[in-house]
Amino acid sequence: MIVALDGSVLMVAQPGLQRDLSATLAQVQWTSTAYLLAVAGFLIPAGRLGDRCGHTRLLLIGSLGFGAASAAIAVAPSVGWVIALRAVQGLFGALLQPATLALLRQVYPPDRLGRPVALRTSAIGVAAAAGPLLGGFLVAEFGWRWVFVINVPIALAIALFCLAARVPEADRPVVRRLDAPGALLLAAALALLVNALAEVELHGWGGHRTVGGLICSAGVAALLVRRERRSPSPLVPVAVARSVPVTASMAMLLFTASGMFGALFVSTYFLQGVLGLDPLGSALRALPMTALMVVGSPLAGLVLHRLGARTTALGGTSLVVLGIGWLARTDSGTGPVAMGAAFALLGAGYATVMVTATATVVGDAPPGYAGVVGGLKQTAVNIGPAFGIAVAAGLLPPGGAGGAQAELWAASMGTALLVLAAIAAVALLPAALLPARPRRAGPPEGGDVRHPEEARRCLTSPSEV
């Protein structure tokens, strides 16, 4: 919740931050980009580290670090300090997210993960919805710095819970060493990718910075794959890489998030630039999406328990595709009820996909690797929106939706949304690979928790044990 709340309140605080610190628009954008790059780059290493050192410990460190970074931002003297501290905040945020998913796996058996995962998704939805309201109040009454001050008591409360909680010990891989060079290569590859996607809106797909960033990201990724194949302790273990439910859930999340958040990007500009609504009016039009995410998550958990992952995922993905397709048919004459229904489909479908994919990823994680699969899942959730927004920005005419561009922009909106619906529809393919029936609890697994190939490598590399 603290991560979702922080991200949503920041958008409200950015105009005041820009005025107070005499920052440029590009610098203000970097207050978000620096955080996103740090989170995306270090989620998987953070999950791998939690599998080795304990997720409760990492949640404690992450919450205290997140709170300390927030307090430092609240007294930052310049925008440069804000950008640097936002990157530090992102590093600690990367520790928080895989740890919460891994702790759910430690407490609940795989066949009972649907409900707690659904509650987690609902809490994120509530935080994201409350963020703009809370942020607006804090900025109006006290100033932009208070949107970071509010993180401090929340972080301290999480830390106290970590100290008081008694979580069952999870099986851990015997290999203790973290592949630091591999982690740095992964962070560099993801950071270059996210930064290149963020540049599409400004420079287009053919811009030198976009193309150069994508090429550099691919080059670093190739070096990473080469190292991972030779490493005795890869960041993504063989047992995780070969898990069909885990990889299918990752792909489903990636494409569904791309389609949905790209559609939200297009719709926001349409509502404000073409229909002339203010930010509050635009938020009210999209409110059914948030409401269905909050209410629909627990229902999705029940459906998952009764029908299984495959049927639930296919249904949720279909709702997202239908919602984007419905938005593609809207124009200036579409009423708020019809548009609200389209957003409601989006919210219900995305909540269903999130609950199903998260429960499948965490539930099917090989013993001892819940953290790394949680990091993989969060990485997909971060990369997907960046890709979807980049696609949408590349399909729309430059200059925004206002003024003389409004008619051309409105004509391009339908095409962009149909492309995004097609991207979301690709998620139906991996969804069909998920388990067909609800998972039943089985006897606890014993013996060596490592994949046979990794166990053999450890026997031949005693220095890694």
Side-chain angles (χ1 to χ4, degrees), residues 143-208:
W144 67 268
R145 296 179 186 272
W146 277 83
V147 303
F148 295 100
V149 173
I150 196 65
N151 289 334
V152 177
I154 300 174
L156 291 176
I158 296 172
L160 290 176
F161 278 120
C162 291
L163 293 173
R166 294 293 179 265
V167 180
E169 264 314 300
D171 294 325
R172 296 183 193 172
V174 174
V175 180
R176 297 291 180 181
R177 182 178 173 184
L178 180 68
D179 182 13
L184 291 176
L185 286 173
L186 175 64
L190 290 175
L192 287 168
L193 175 61
V194 173
N195 187 56
L197 293 175
E199 295 288 338
V200 171
E201 184 179 356
L202 297 175
H203 306 289
W205 285 102
H208 296 302

Side-chain angles (χ1 to χ4, degrees), residues 248-249 252 299-320 348-349 351-357 360 427-439:
S249 298
M252 182 177 66
L299 296 177
L302 295 175
V303 174
L304 173 63
H305 182 72
R306 291 180 177 274
L307 301 181
R310 181 183 302 173
T311 302
T312 309
L314 289 172
T317 304
S318 299
L319 288 177
V320 172
T352 303
V353 170
M354 281 286 291
V355 170
T356 306
T360 302
L428 291 168
L429 300 177
L433 299 176
L434 297 181
R437 302 298 304 163
R439 191 181 6 253

